[in-house]
Amino acid sequence: MNTLVRSSLRVLDRLSPPQKVSAHCDIPCGIYDPGMAQIAAQTVVRMHQLIDGLERPGPDADDATRNAYANSMLRYISVKEEHAELCKHEVRIIWADYFKPEHLEDHPELHTKVWNILKLGSKVRQTVDAAAADELLAAVQQFAEAFWATKGVATRRGPSNQAVGGESVLPA
Amino acid sequence: MLRRLRALLPFDRFVVEGESMAPSVSPGERVVVSRASYWFRPPRAGDIVVLRDPREPERLLIKRIDTTHGNSVEVAGDHADASTDSRAFGPVPANLILGKVWFRY
């Protein structure tokens, strides 16, 4: 566009500003990442490991030992609760805000998988069930793979390099 | 007053916010929109238009027409991952279209 037109329009803009028009997105950032859900699920698995590994005080244990046991157990349970809920929250956001109807063509099982994750997220809160925690992590990792696939991004599974052990799904 | 006067002119100026039309139109860019474009022909697929958000008519959107069906159009952002468009709010009545983007300045 020639300079005269451009500069005239700029002058006009100063006198009367242009209206705002939105190249709109409900979440303008467009940033979604299942990594948070995976870390939350790994934390839940780790809390089960710590609960299983915690030494129970014997019948003759003193008060300090009993208190230390109760304190650790409550802390592990509390973190398990929080991270199971965090995991559900993160998955729900990606499911509701990121996924669009066209993604369902390639991932027709998406709704069922998300539903399963949300159920498992509740189960690991209600119980101490290491197998359910493992299932939750596996389901979240499949969800992460589906998410990246919709963006045309390949994924790889490698060592988590965390105390929990196991694998992490990462964009390749 | 000025706004009413502007609404009668065949052209209007807009400044773009948001990423959904990147890279065709980027945030902060200004565009001139022609109201006259659709006086003599209907909107066509591929046109970049300014339209009212069907869910919130006070808000103006800039999108590209994806498909047309008689009196309604489906619109999409060029940057699909960062766009809320007809995939979310369905077809839009053509009378919500204010005009066609003519050029950037």
Side-chain angles (χ1 to χ4, degrees), chain B residues 74-89:
Chain B
E74 287 189 38
V75 294
D78 284 0
H79 184 191
D81 282 348
S83 178
T84 302
D85 46 41
S86 285
R87 293 173 299 176
F89 50 66

Side-chain angles (χ1 to χ4, degrees), chain A residues 1 5-6 9-10 12-13 16-26 28 30 98 100-102 151, chain B residues 3 6 12-21 30 55 59-63 82-84 87 103 105:
Chain A
M1 201 38 58
V5 171
R6 188 189 298 258
L9 285 166
R10 291 281 177 178
L12 202 55
D13 283 354
S16 155
Q19 290 187 70
K20 288 177 181 164
V21 62
S22 174
H24 175 67
C25 174
D26 282 340
Y98 168 75
K100 298 206 161 68
E102 70 236 37
K151 294 170 80 90
Chain B
R3 180 138 298 183
R6 277 169 66 162
D12 208 349
R13 293 159 290 122
F14 295 91
V15 59
V16 177
E17 295 178 330
E19 302 274 355
S20 82
M21 286 302 288
R30 292 161 191 232
R55 305 168 302 176
R59 177 160 65 190
L60 300 177
L61 305 178
I62 181 167
K63 299 286 170 188
S83 178
T84 302
R87 293 173 299 176
F103 60 85
Y105 69 98

Side-chain angles (χ1 to χ4, degrees), chain A residues 142-171:
Chain A
Q142 281 180 23
F143 177 78
E145 285 167 338
F147 168 84
W148 289 115
T150 63
K151 294 170 80 90
V153 175
T155 51
R156 64 185 170 82
R157 285 179 181 241
S160 77
N161 298 313
Q162 304 291 352
V164 67
E167 290 179 327
S168 289
V169 168
L170 297 165

Side-chain angles (χ1 to χ4, degrees), chain A residues 92-138:
Chain A
R92 232 186 257 124
I93 298 270
I94 294 176
W95 176 53
D97 296 348
Y98 168 75
F99 277 100
K100 298 206 161 68
E102 70 236 37
H103 295 138
L104 286 176
E105 290 167 18
D106 288 334
H107 302 277
E109 72 301 349
L110 180 76
H111 294 335
T112 311
K113 283 194 165 173
V114 169
W115 196 39
N116 186 39
I117 290 172
L118 300 181
K119 297 276 185 210
L120 284 167
S122 299
K123 189 174 180 186
V124 298
R125 291 181 58 184
Q126 291 157 357
T127 57
V128 178
D129 183 341
D134 291 342
E135 270 181 64
L136 173 68
L137 177 58

Side-chain angles (χ1 to χ4, degrees), chain A residues 14-121:
Chain A
R14 244 172 258 163
L15 299 172
S16 155
Q19 290 187 70
K20 288 177 181 164
V21 62
S22 174
H24 175 67
C25 174
D26 282 340
I27 305 274
C29 62
I31 297 173
Y32 299 98
D33 194 324
M36 306 257 279
Q38 179 172 244
I39 291 171
Q42 285 169 328
T43 304
V44 170
V45 172
R46 179 63 182 151
M47 289 308 113
H48 281 83
Q49 295 170 352
L50 290 172
I51 289 168
D52 281 349
L54 188 61
E55 197 179 328
R56 272 60 174 163
D60 303 327
D62 58 17
D63 284 353
T65 308
R66 288 176 190 278
N67 288 345
Y69 169 79
N71 187 57
S72 294
M73 182 59 90
L74 280 168
R75 283 169 56 92
Y76 299 157
I77 292 168
S78 159
V79 170
K80 173 170 82 72
E81 285 278 313
E82 280 168 24
H83 282 73
E85 202 50 47
L86 182 62
C87 178
K88 288 172 69 177
H89 173 77
E90 291 289 330
V91 168
R92 232 186 257 124
I93 298 270
I94 294 176
W95 176 53
D97 296 348
Y98 168 75
F99 277 100
K100 298 206 161 68
E102 70 236 37
H103 295 138
L104 286 176
E105 290 167 18
D106 288 334
H107 302 277
E109 72 301 349
L110 180 76
H111 294 335
T112 311
K113 283 194 165 173
V114 169
W115 196 39
N116 186 39
I117 290 172
L118 300 181
K119 297 276 185 210
L120 284 167

